[in-house]
Amino acid sequence: MIRPGALIIISVLFFSITGVAQLRRAEKIFRKCSGSVVQIVSYNPDKTLYGSGSGVIIKSKGWVITCYHILGTASMIYACHGGVFITLDSIVSCDPKRDILVLSFKKGEEK
């Protein structure tokens, strides 16, 4: 029979090891995917900030998926990747009901 104190120690050790393993997996996933994340910034016609959010690069062509509501009534939209602002080329697809927006950005062109 295992004593209650020993059971507590075993449980703490098990969950500590499991927690560390999960943290390492999360860090590995972050390192692998963080280069695919961009900041999306949109501006009103008067050049005031409309909104900002994040997006994920889904194609080497420069396609980015983000939320539709970031576009709203904005007249200008940019992606920021690695500290560089990139100009919107076109809207590839959108679904306002599902709040999905796929954008294409001009490769190599900075704001």
Side-chain angles (χ1 to χ4, degrees):
M1 181 170 196
I2 298 177
R3 292 182 169 190
L7 187 57
I8 291 171
I9 291 171
I10 291 169
S11 297
V12 168
L13 288 173
F14 173 76
F15 288 113
S16 295
I17 292 168
T18 304
V20 169
Q22 287 176 345
L23 181 60
R24 286 187 182 146
R25 279 195 301 271
E27 289 171 348
K28 183 178 179 181
I29 292 168
F30 173 78
R31 281 193 305 275
K32 188 174 183 179
C33 299
S34 64
S36 298
V37 177
V38 296
Q39 178 185 14
I40 305 293
V41 183
S42 57
Y43 295 92
N44 292 311
D46 64 358
K47 299 188 179 171
T48 58
L49 181 66
Y50 175 81
S52 66
S54 61
V56 177
I57 299 170
I58 56 172
K59 288 216 174 216
S60 61
K61 297 178 190 179
W63 288 12
V64 173
I65 188 166
T66 189
C67 295
Y68 178 81
H69 69 263
I70 195 70
L71 179 63
T73 58
S75 62
M76 295 174 284
I77 190 164
Y78 300 96
C80 181
H81 187 259
V84 176
F85 282 88
I86 306 163
T87 307
L88 173 69
D89 184 32
S90 64
I91 296 173
V92 176
S93 183
C94 65
D95 186 341
K97 289 183 181 179
R98 292 189 177 105
D99 198 26
I100 297 172
L101 178 64
V102 180
L103 305 168
S104 175
F105 288 90
K106 296 179 182 177
K107 263 187 152 178
E109 185 174 318
E110 299 176 14
K111 173 183 167 188

